[in-house]
Amino acid sequence: MDKDALLELLDKARQAAQNAYAPYSGYKVGAALLDSLGKVHLGCNVENASYSLTNCAERTAIFKAVSEGVRDFQALAVWVDSDTIFPPCGACRQVISEFAPRIPVIFGNALRHEITDAATLLPSAFSLDK
Ligand code: THU
């Protein structure tokens, strides 16, 4: 996956962030997940007054795709509408690792981005396989 394709995916994540429901934190996050057939699955964070029920953008995108029968992925982009950028949280790293342990991951905002991969984000993912 070349850098231009990842930047294109990041732009889709930016668009997905527009649907974020983030009245509590104010952080609007979007995710764009590219599957092996070239389809992009979008997700955003969905917060709740009971804060811990919040679903992150990455998990929204992954769960949407898996619920539609898609389990093979090529790349993930995460956009945050903020001055600071952040990589996927620990819970999302575990979920990414379940379905796409080796995909490239780009995260960023309007000013900057970083490119990494799922195995770097979570080198010792929990697994039931010995
Ligand atoms: N958030 C995400 O959507 N993805 C992450 O990987 C980290 C955090 C959301 C959750 C919450 O709505 C807001 O960002 C602030 O934590």
PDB file of all heavy atoms in Angstrom, residues 65-90:
ATOM      1  N   ALA A  65     -18.013  -3.597   9.172  1.00  0.00           N
ATOM      2  CA  ALA A  65     -17.547  -4.451   8.068  1.00  0.00           C
ATOM      3  C   ALA A  65     -17.798  -5.930   8.391  1.00  0.00           C
ATOM      4  O   ALA A  65     -18.353  -6.671   7.570  1.00  0.00           O
ATOM      5  CB  ALA A  65     -16.058  -4.204   7.811  1.00  0.00           C
ATOM      6  N   VAL A  66     -17.398  -6.330   9.594  1.00  0.00           N
ATOM      7  CA  VAL A  66     -17.532  -7.751   9.956  1.00  0.00           C
ATOM      8  C   VAL A  66     -19.003  -8.149   9.970  1.00  0.00           C
ATOM      9  O   VAL A  66     -19.377  -9.247   9.526  1.00  0.00           O
ATOM     10  CB  VAL A  66     -16.843  -8.030  11.314  1.00  0.00           C
ATOM     11  CG1 VAL A  66     -17.133  -9.447  11.799  1.00  0.00           C
ATOM     12  CG2 VAL A  66     -15.326  -7.818  11.185  1.00  0.00           C
ATOM     13  N   SER A  67     -19.861  -7.247  10.425  1.00  0.00           N
ATOM     14  CA  SER A  67     -21.297  -7.559  10.482  1.00  0.00           C
ATOM     15  C   SER A  67     -21.899  -7.686   9.089  1.00  0.00           C
ATOM     16  O   SER A  67     -22.990  -8.220   8.919  1.00  0.00           O
ATOM     17  CB  SER A  67     -22.050  -6.516  11.304  1.00  0.00           C
ATOM     18  OG  SER A  67     -22.087  -5.287  10.616  1.00  0.00           O
ATOM     19  N   GLU A  68     -21.162  -7.196   8.092  1.00  0.00           N
ATOM     20  CA  GLU A  68     -21.632  -7.338   6.705  1.00  0.00           C
ATOM     21  C   GLU A  68     -20.895  -8.466   5.988  1.00  0.00           C
ATOM     22  O   GLU A  68     -20.943  -8.582   4.767  1.00  0.00           O
ATOM     23  CB  GLU A  68     -21.444  -6.006   5.955  1.00  0.00           C
ATOM     24  CG  GLU A  68     -22.429  -4.957   6.438  1.00  0.00           C
ATOM     25  CD  GLU A  68     -22.184  -3.574   5.853  1.00  0.00           C
ATOM     26  OE1 GLU A  68     -21.295  -3.421   5.004  1.00  0.00           O
ATOM     27  OE2 GLU A  68     -22.900  -2.659   6.278  1.00  0.00           O
ATOM     28  N   GLY A  69     -20.173  -9.269   6.761  1.00  0.00           N
ATOM     29  CA  GLY A  69     -19.530 -10.455   6.189  1.00  0.00           C
ATOM     30  C   GLY A  69     -18.134 -10.225   5.649  1.00  0.00           C
ATOM     31  O   GLY A  69     -17.569 -11.100   4.993  1.00  0.00           O
ATOM     32  N   VAL A  70     -17.561  -9.062   5.913  1.00  0.00           N
ATOM     33  CA  VAL A  70     -16.217  -8.746   5.397  1.00  0.00           C
ATOM     34  C   VAL A  70     -15.187  -8.919   6.511  1.00  0.00           C
ATOM     35  O   VAL A  70     -15.335  -8.343   7.598  1.00  0.00           O
ATOM     36  CB  VAL A  70     -16.176  -7.299   4.863  1.00  0.00           C
ATOM     37  CG1 VAL A  70     -14.786  -6.955   4.345  1.00  0.00           C
ATOM     38  CG2 VAL A  70     -17.224  -7.107   3.774  1.00  0.00           C
ATOM     39  N   ARG A  71     -14.149  -9.706   6.240  1.00  0.00           N
ATOM     40  CA  ARG A  71     -13.129  -9.947   7.271  1.00  0.00           C
ATOM     41  C   ARG A  71     -11.705  -9.783   6.776  1.00  0.00           C
ATOM     42  O   ARG A  71     -10.758 -10.030   7.536  1.00  0.00           O
ATOM     43  CB  ARG A  71     -13.270 -11.372   7.812  1.00  0.00           C
ATOM     44  CG  ARG A  71     -14.538 -11.591   8.582  1.00  0.00           C
ATOM     45  CD  ARG A  71     -14.504 -12.973   9.179  1.00  0.00           C
ATOM     46  NE  ARG A  71     -15.796 -13.348   9.697  1.00  0.00           N
ATOM     47  CZ  ARG A  71     -16.139 -14.590  10.025  1.00  0.00           C
ATOM     48  NH1 ARG A  71     -15.268 -15.568   9.870  1.00  0.00           N
ATOM     49  NH2 ARG A  71     -17.335 -14.848  10.498  1.00  0.00           N
ATOM     50  N   ASP A  72     -11.539  -9.447   5.514  1.00  0.00           N
ATOM     51  CA  ASP A  72     -10.181  -9.285   4.967  1.00  0.00           C
ATOM     52  C   ASP A  72      -9.926  -7.820   4.678  1.00  0.00           C
ATOM     53  O   ASP A  72     -10.648  -7.216   3.879  1.00  0.00           O
ATOM     54  CB  ASP A  72     -10.014 -10.095   3.680  1.00  0.00           C
ATOM     55  CG  ASP A  72     -10.013 -11.580   3.964  1.00  0.00           C
ATOM     56  OD1 ASP A  72      -9.468 -11.964   5.018  1.00  0.00           O
ATOM     57  OD2 ASP A  72     -10.565 -12.331   3.147  1.00  0.00           O
ATOM     58  N   PHE A  73      -8.879  -7.297   5.306  1.00  0.00           N
ATOM     59  CA  PHE A  73      -8.632  -5.864   5.199  1.00  0.00           C
ATOM     60  C   PHE A  73      -7.223  -5.558   4.727  1.00  0.00           C
ATOM     61  O   PHE A  73      -6.290  -6.310   4.980  1.00  0.00           O
ATOM     62  CB  PHE A  73      -8.901  -5.203   6.557  1.00  0.00           C
ATOM     63  CG  PHE A  73     -10.293  -5.489   7.072  1.00  0.00           C
ATOM     64  CD1 PHE A  73     -10.495  -6.351   8.146  1.00  0.00           C
ATOM     65  CD2 PHE A  73     -11.403  -4.936   6.445  1.00  0.00           C
ATOM     66  CE1 PHE A  73     -11.771  -6.636   8.601  1.00  0.00           C
ATOM     67  CE2 PHE A  73     -12.687  -5.210   6.887  1.00  0.00           C
ATOM     68  CZ  PHE A  73     -12.881  -6.056   7.967  1.00  0.00           C
ATOM     69  N   GLN A  74      -7.110  -4.396   4.062  1.00  0.00           N
ATOM     70  CA  GLN A  74      -5.803  -3.961   3.520  1.00  0.00           C
ATOM     71  C   GLN A  74      -5.168  -2.841   4.309  1.00  0.00           C
ATOM     72  O   GLN A  74      -3.948  -2.725   4.360  1.00  0.00           O
ATOM     73  CB  GLN A  74      -5.984  -3.391   2.110  1.00  0.00           C
ATOM     74  CG  GLN A  74      -6.401  -4.343   1.047  1.00  0.00           C
ATOM     75  CD  GLN A  74      -6.294  -3.650  -0.310  1.00  0.00           C
ATOM     76  OE1 GLN A  74      -5.233  -3.147  -0.674  1.00  0.00           O
ATOM     77  NE2 GLN A  74      -7.380  -3.604  -1.035  1.00  0.00           N
ATOM     78  N   ALA A  75      -5.978  -1.938   4.854  1.00  0.00           N
ATOM     79  CA  ALA A  75      -5.409  -0.754   5.516  1.00  0.00           C
ATOM     80  C   ALA A  75      -6.477  -0.056   6.344  1.00  0.00           C
ATOM     81  O   ALA A  75      -7.680  -0.194   6.094  1.00  0.00           O
ATOM     82  CB  ALA A  75      -4.854   0.218   4.480  1.00  0.00           C
ATOM     83  N   LEU A  76      -5.994   0.708   7.334  1.00  0.00           N
ATOM     84  CA  LEU A  76      -6.905   1.458   8.214  1.00  0.00           C
ATOM     85  C   LEU A  76      -6.384   2.891   8.361  1.00  0.00           C
ATOM     86  O   LEU A  76      -5.173   3.105   8.529  1.00  0.00           O
ATOM     87  CB  LEU A  76      -6.952   0.800   9.604  1.00  0.00           C
ATOM     88  CG  LEU A  76      -7.700   1.556  10.700  1.00  0.00           C
ATOM     89  CD1 LEU A  76      -9.219   1.582  10.424  1.00  0.00           C
ATOM     90  CD2 LEU A  76      -7.435   0.921  12.067  1.00  0.00           C
ATOM     91  N   ALA A  77      -7.304   3.845   8.286  1.00  0.00           N
ATOM     92  CA  ALA A  77      -6.946   5.250   8.526  1.00  0.00           C
ATOM     93  C   ALA A  77      -7.807   5.789   9.655  1.00  0.00           C
ATOM     94  O   ALA A  77      -8.996   5.462   9.761  1.00  0.00           O
ATOM     95  CB  ALA A  77      -7.175   6.072   7.262  1.00  0.00           C
ATOM     96  N   VAL A  78      -7.201   6.600  10.506  1.00  0.00           N
ATOM     97  CA  VAL A  78      -7.917   7.197  11.637  1.00  0.00           C
ATOM     98  C   VAL A  78      -7.636   8.691  11.649  1.00  0.00           C
ATOM     99  O   VAL A  78      -6.480   9.119  11.663  1.00  0.00           O
ATOM    100  CB  VAL A  78      -7.465   6.583  12.989  1.00  0.00           C
ATOM    101  CG1 VAL A  78      -8.348   7.103  14.119  1.00  0.00           C
ATOM    102  CG2 VAL A  78      -7.496   5.066  12.947  1.00  0.00           C
ATOM    103  N   TRP A  79      -8.694   9.452  11.651  1.00  0.00           N
ATOM    104  CA  TRP A  79      -8.603  10.916  11.630  1.00  0.00           C
ATOM    105  C   TRP A  79      -9.149  11.452  12.934  1.00  0.00           C
ATOM    106  O   TRP A  79     -10.172  10.990  13.428  1.00  0.00           O
ATOM    107  CB  TRP A  79      -9.447  11.466  10.478  1.00  0.00           C
ATOM    108  CG  TRP A  79      -9.590  12.959  10.468  1.00  0.00           C
ATOM    109  CD1 TRP A  79     -10.466  13.701  11.213  1.00  0.00           C
ATOM    110  CD2 TRP A  79      -8.842  13.884   9.690  1.00  0.00           C
ATOM    111  NE1 TRP A  79     -10.301  15.024  10.937  1.00  0.00           N
ATOM    112  CE2 TRP A  79      -9.315  15.169   9.992  1.00  0.00           C
ATOM    113  CE3 TRP A  79      -7.822  13.739   8.743  1.00  0.00           C
ATOM    114  CZ2 TRP A  79      -8.805  16.314   9.400  1.00  0.00           C
ATOM    115  CZ3 TRP A  79      -7.309  14.880   8.150  1.00  0.00           C
ATOM    116  CH2 TRP A  79      -7.801  16.151   8.486  1.00  0.00           C
ATOM    117  N   VAL A  80      -8.469  12.424  13.510  1.00  0.00           N
ATOM    118  CA  VAL A  80      -9.047  13.108  14.671  1.00  0.00           C
ATOM    119  C   VAL A  80      -9.065  14.607  14.403  1.00  0.00           C
ATOM    120  O   VAL A  80      -8.089  15.187  13.928  1.00  0.00           O
ATOM    121  CB  VAL A  80      -8.334  12.756  15.993  1.00  0.00           C
ATOM    122  CG1 VAL A  80      -6.871  13.135  15.963  1.00  0.00           C
ATOM    123  CG2 VAL A  80      -9.054  13.420  17.173  1.00  0.00           C
ATOM    124  N   ASP A  81     -10.229  15.180  14.684  1.00  0.00           N
ATOM    125  CA  ASP A  81     -10.461  16.595  14.457  1.00  0.00           C
ATOM    126  C   ASP A  81      -9.912  17.378  15.642  1.00  0.00           C
ATOM    127  O   ASP A  81     -10.657  17.848  16.477  1.00  0.00           O
ATOM    128  CB  ASP A  81     -11.986  16.786  14.387  1.00  0.00           C
ATOM    129  CG  ASP A  81     -12.380  17.622  13.211  1.00  0.00           C
ATOM    130  OD1 ASP A  81     -11.480  18.161  12.561  1.00  0.00           O
ATOM    131  OD2 ASP A  81     -13.584  17.732  12.960  1.00  0.00           O
ATOM    132  N   SER A  82      -8.594  17.464  15.730  1.00  0.00           N
ATOM    133  CA  SER A  82      -7.973  18.077  16.899  1.00  0.00           C
ATOM    134  C   SER A  82      -6.554  18.512  16.540  1.00  0.00           C
ATOM    135  O   SER A  82      -6.012  18.098  15.509  1.00  0.00           O
ATOM    136  CB  SER A  82      -7.949  17.038  18.019  1.00  0.00           C
ATOM    137  OG  SER A  82      -6.845  17.214  18.850  1.00  0.00           O
ATOM    138  N   ASP A  83      -5.945  19.348  17.378  1.00  0.00           N
ATOM    139  CA  ASP A  83      -4.561  19.772  17.126  1.00  0.00           C
ATOM    140  C   ASP A  83      -3.576  18.635  17.365  1.00  0.00           C
ATOM    141  O   ASP A  83      -2.534  18.553  16.726  1.00  0.00           O
ATOM    142  CB  ASP A  83      -4.194  20.938  18.047  1.00  0.00           C
ATOM    143  CG  ASP A  83      -4.967  22.195  17.670  1.00  0.00           C
ATOM    144  OD1 ASP A  83      -5.543  22.221  16.558  1.00  0.00           O
ATOM    145  OD2 ASP A  83      -5.022  23.124  18.488  1.00  0.00           O
ATOM    146  N   THR A  84      -3.914  17.800  18.340  1.00  0.00           N
ATOM    147  CA  THR A  84      -3.022  16.677  18.627  1.00  0.00           C
ATOM    148  C   THR A  84      -3.560  15.434  17.927  1.00  0.00           C
ATOM    149  O   THR A  84      -4.771  15.279  17.784  1.00  0.00           O
ATOM    150  CB  THR A  84      -2.970  16.390  20.135  1.00  0.00           C
ATOM    151  OG1 THR A  84      -4.313  16.263  20.608  1.00  0.00           O
ATOM    152  CG2 THR A  84      -2.266  17.487  20.892  1.00  0.00           C
ATOM    153  N   ILE A  85      -2.666  14.572  17.479  1.00  0.00           N
ATOM    154  CA  ILE A  85      -3.132  13.335  16.861  1.00  0.00           C
ATOM    155  C   ILE A  85      -2.909  12.200  17.847  1.00  0.00           C
ATOM    156  O   ILE A  85      -2.035  12.281  18.715  1.00  0.00           O
ATOM    157  CB  ILE A  85      -2.418  13.039  15.523  1.00  0.00           C
ATOM    158  CG1 ILE A  85      -0.915  12.849  15.697  1.00  0.00           C
ATOM    159  CG2 ILE A  85      -2.708  14.146  14.528  1.00  0.00           C
ATOM    160  CD1 ILE A  85      -0.221  12.393  14.410  1.00  0.00           C
ATOM    161  N   PHE A  86      -3.737  11.167  17.746  1.00  0.00           N
ATOM    162  CA  PHE A  86      -3.485  10.013  18.608  1.00  0.00           C
ATOM    163  C   PHE A  86      -3.674   8.722  17.836  1.00  0.00           C
ATOM    164  O   PHE A  86      -4.513   8.618  16.957  1.00  0.00           O
ATOM    165  CB  PHE A  86      -4.310  10.030  19.895  1.00  0.00           C
ATOM    166  CG  PHE A  86      -5.786  10.322  19.750  1.00  0.00           C
ATOM    167  CD1 PHE A  86      -6.653   9.405  19.183  1.00  0.00           C
ATOM    168  CD2 PHE A  86      -6.303  11.521  20.227  1.00  0.00           C
ATOM    169  CE1 PHE A  86      -8.007   9.671  19.094  1.00  0.00           C
ATOM    170  CE2 PHE A  86      -7.663  11.790  20.134  1.00  0.00           C
ATOM    171  CZ  PHE A  86      -8.517  10.857  19.566  1.00  0.00           C
ATOM    172  N   PRO A  87      -2.866   7.720  18.179  1.00  0.00           N
ATOM    173  CA  PRO A  87      -2.994   6.410  17.548  1.00  0.00           C
ATOM    174  C   PRO A  87      -4.179   5.668  18.169  1.00  0.00           C
ATOM    175  O   PRO A  87      -4.709   6.103  19.199  1.00  0.00           O
ATOM    176  CB  PRO A  87      -1.671   5.731  17.892  1.00  0.00           C
ATOM    177  CG  PRO A  87      -1.268   6.331  19.187  1.00  0.00           C
ATOM    178  CD  PRO A  87      -1.776   7.745  19.180  1.00  0.00           C
ATOM    179  N   PRO A  88      -4.611   4.546  17.585  1.00  0.00           N
ATOM    180  CA  PRO A  88      -5.718   3.770  18.153  1.00  0.00           C
ATOM    181  C   PRO A  88      -5.476   3.412  19.619  1.00  0.00           C
ATOM    182  O   PRO A  88      -4.350   3.114  20.021  1.00  0.00           O
ATOM    183  CB  PRO A  88      -5.740   2.507  17.283  1.00  0.00           C
ATOM    184  CG  PRO A  88      -5.164   2.942  15.974  1.00  0.00           C
ATOM    185  CD  PRO A  88      -4.124   3.967  16.322  1.00  0.00           C
ATOM    186  N   CYS A  89      -6.535   3.434  20.406  1.00  0.00           N
ATOM    187  CA  CYS A  89      -6.435   3.081  21.834  1.00  0.00           C
ATOM    188  C   CYS A  89      -6.160   1.583  21.979  1.00  0.00           C
ATOM    189  O   CYS A  89      -6.235   0.822  21.010  1.00  0.00           O
ATOM    190  CB  CYS A  89      -7.713   3.476  22.565  1.00  0.00           C
ATOM    191  SG  CYS A  89      -9.081   2.329  22.296  1.00  0.00           S
ATOM    192  N   GLY A  90      -5.882   1.168  23.186  1.00  0.00           N
ATOM    193  CA  GLY A  90      -5.529  -0.231  23.445  1.00  0.00           C
ATOM    194  C   GLY A  90      -6.625  -1.206  23.039  1.00  0.00           C
ATOM    195  O   GLY A  90      -6.358  -2.256  22.439  1.00  0.00           O
TER     196      GLY A  90
END
